[in-house]
Amino acid sequence: MPIVTIQQGPREVERKRELVKKITEAFVEALEVPAESVSVWIQEYPAENWGAAGRLTADR
């Protein structure tokens, strides 16, 4: 059973639905597993809780 974890900033529910759908389709095609066996976990973090290149994302 593949488990995919996505860590990202907050997104609208429609975008998350599309993301989960496409990730599931990719695993079904690449690993030849049933869609029901693919789990996708989305962890969302506000912009003040992560950064890159030495700066908080909230400060960009």
Side-chain angles (χ1 to χ4, degrees):
M1 173 172 91
I3 300 172
V4 181
T5 303
I6 309 295
Q7 296 179 325
Q8 66 178 23
R11 298 286 195 280
E12 300 83 21
V13 70
E14 287 301 322
R15 297 189 89 177
K16 290 186 277 189
R17 280 190 184 106
E18 186 67 19
L19 179 62
V20 169
K21 177 183 173 194
K22 288 183 177 185
I23 288 171
T24 300
E25 289 171 352
F27 271 77
V28 167
E29 180 181 332
L31 299 181
E32 298 180 354
V33 297
E36 295 77 19
S37 73
V38 181
S39 294
V40 180
W41 295 73
I42 300 173
Q43 298 173 332
E44 293 186 323
Y45 300 94
E48 67 269 12
N49 288 350
W50 62 289
R55 295 178 56 201
L56 282 176
T57 303
D59 295 335
R60 292 177 184 254

